[in-house]
Amino acid sequence: MPEARDAHPYDALLLLSFGGPEGPDDVIPFLENVTRGRGIPTERLKEVGEHYFLFGGVSPINDQNRALLDALRKDFAEHGLDLPIYWGNRNWAPYLTDTLREMVADGHRRILVLATSAYASYSGCRQYRENLAESLAALEAEGLELPKIDKLRHYYNHPGFLEPMIDGVLRSLAELPEEARAGAHIAFSTHSIPTAAADSSGPVEEHGDGGAYVAEHLDVARLIADAVRERTGVDHPWQLVYQSRSGAPHIPWLEPDICDHLEERHEAGVPAVVIAPIGFVSDHMEVLYDLDTEAKDKAEELGLPMRRSATVGDDPRFAAAIRDLVLERAAVERAEEVTPCALGALGASHNLCPVGCCPSRAPKPAAAGADSPYA
């Protein structure tokens, strides 16, 4: 029998994700959910929808979340962690409010949340916390007893998140033509966000040029590049690059764009590139379209050998990392001494988002933080 692991005071874990369409008829309604309140015209949504229609109108993210759920449940069971796991999305079924309603009906009152975003930013953290507050407000209006909700800390520098990505880069390097391998460049890619959002990411004391968002990604890139050098003996040049820009042209976003970067590297005489999508937990649409379609086409146009390494997905090491984070947070809540597991220069992230962390342009209530109205 596995050794029992204590998750007390928590009685359930909620996997909270973005959601995605699961058929052609879902695409436009899904995009309307994503962009609600922004005044995006339907014609523009149809243009973006073409990305999904290239893949049959189906985003892989929901199936990837199902696979992660299976991996988590398997890991928890094998290690004696008796904690039921639920799943809710921001923008598509199963919707967050419906899932929280189900959890309350099942008797759960202390819920931990795992968001499928590893880094600090408004869209990657606080917006999820705002979604939680909106759902709690909906349940409160229905007269339901509200659970207390906490969110797991950012896990970008946990070894269980890093090791699968290190292995992915090593595999991609090995797949390159032998004559280009030693001189290959590594492009560490993540989602571009407005520079103003990046500058205000993380706790107030970390606000500044790029904020916590850029600092955390740079730390991960360094850790992976260092591990690759240690395991291959080759010091590959690298750079943090960005993808998936979606904002108005006049608003500054983080750069360089991955396709522009490929052109620049080709002009500089780099013999090959490995793209490592460190900003993404799974191979969802922004990886499949922006990297496996657009960036791949650009590399082929340039005649530049390119490989794209894997995201962590449902890797057992990632599932084990989540178990470790659950047990760590439970021990913190029980006021026990805890040594958080984190690599790199930045150390473990905060457990409770402080006031002023990753602020939104139009302030909204946000749960699971120091400023939560649902303490």
Side-chain angles (χ1 to χ4, degrees):
M1 293 292 290
E3 178 186 355
R5 305 296 177 95
D6 188 5
H8 175 79
Y10 298 107
D11 55 27
L13 177 68
L14 168 62
L15 175 66
L16 177 55
S17 193
F18 193 82
E22 301 202 76
D25 292 341
D26 297 343
V27 172
I28 299 304
F30 162 73
L31 292 174
E32 288 173 342
N33 286 345
V34 173
T35 61
R36 181 167 288 117
R38 300 185 201 171
I40 308 295
T42 302
E43 290 307 310
R44 174 58 182 152
L45 296 182
K46 289 179 179 178
E47 290 176 18
V48 176
E50 291 301 319
H51 299 179
Y52 291 91
F53 292 128
L54 287 174
F55 300 90
V58 178
S59 168
I61 192 170
N62 281 348
D63 277 345
Q64 289 164 3
N65 280 328
R66 293 182 183 103
L68 178 57
L69 286 167
D70 289 343
L72 290 170
R73 288 166 178 153
K74 181 175 184 289
D75 178 271
F76 284 16
E78 289 177 348
H79 292 86
L81 179 54
D82 184 17
L83 194 70
I85 308 173
Y86 293 73
W87 169 35
N89 287 326
R90 172 188 292 172
N91 298 301
W92 203 249
Y95 288 104
L96 172 58
T97 302
D98 295 336
T99 299
L100 280 178
R101 187 183 296 110
E102 177 187 359
M103 296 177 81
V104 169
D106 289 346
H108 299 298
R109 297 295 180 269
R110 287 298 305 271
I111 297 171
L112 255 181
V113 173
L114 162 64
T116 53
S117 175
Y119 302 86
S121 71
Y122 170 73
S123 57
C125 184
R126 185 176 177 91
Q127 191 171 9
Y128 281 115
R129 293 176 49 226
E130 290 176 355
N131 298 147
L132 286 165
E134 290 169 0
S135 294
L136 289 171
L139 298 188
E140 188 175 39
E142 296 171 13
L144 298 178
E145 182 179 351
L146 299 186
K148 185 180 187 304
I149 292 180
D150 291 321
K151 180 179 174 291
L152 288 174
R153 65 176 172 88
H154 303 305
Y155 45 83
Y156 63 91
N157 57 3
H158 194 288
F161 185 67
L162 290 165
E163 282 295 333
M165 292 191 292
I166 293 168
D167 286 350
V169 171
L170 292 170
R171 283 193 299 270
S172 293
L173 286 168
E175 292 170 359
L176 289 170
E178 186 174 356
E179 65 275 13
R181 194 175 304 151
H185 171 87
I186 306 174
F188 293 104
S189 186
T190 190
H191 205 302
S192 184
I193 61 174
T195 56
D199 293 347
S200 61
S201 60
V204 172
E205 62 271 16
E206 296 177 23
H207 291 179
D209 188 13
Y213 186 75
V214 171
E216 291 169 0
H217 281 88
L218 285 172
D219 206 37
V220 167
R222 290 189 194 99
L223 286 164
I224 296 175
D226 288 348
V228 169
R229 183 184 65 251
E230 290 167 4
R231 298 179 197 188
T232 66
V234 179
D235 191 6
H236 290 276
W238 61 269
Q239 187 169 338
L240 179 63
V241 301
Y242 302 93
Q243 63 177 88
S244 312
R245 175 182 172 136
S246 60
H250 68 281
I251 298 176
W253 282 52
L254 293 173
E255 296 177 338
D257 174 78
I258 178 60
C259 289
D260 294 340
H261 181 68
L262 291 176
E263 289 189 349
E264 188 273 333
R265 291 292 81 203
H266 175 64
E267 291 173 1
V270 166
V273 172
V274 168
I275 301 177
I278 60 173
F280 305 90
V281 171
S282 64
D283 289 3
H284 54 63
M285 185 57 67
E286 285 163 317
V287 175
L288 294 187
Y289 184 79
D290 296 311
L291 298 183
D292 293 354
T293 304
E294 286 195 329
K296 179 174 178 287
D297 289 348
K298 174 58 69 174
E300 290 177 350
E301 173 192 321
L302 297 168
L304 179 65
M306 185 272 281
R307 297 293 183 275
R308 194 270 292 175
S309 65
T311 53
V312 297
D314 60 346
D315 190 289
R317 290 168 292 185
F318 182 46
I322 299 308
R323 167 171 42 87
D324 179 65
L325 290 168
V326 166
L327 295 173
E328 173 196 300
R329 183 59 184 273
V332 168
E333 291 300 301
R334 297 194 301 266
E336 297 174 8
E337 186 173 344
V338 176
T339 302
C341 187
L343 302 178
L346 301 180
S349 181
H350 48 262
N351 279 315
L352 191 68
C353 292
V355 176
C357 192
C358 303
S360 57
R361 286 180 297 173
K364 298 179 181 178
D371 55 355
S372 172
Y374 300 101

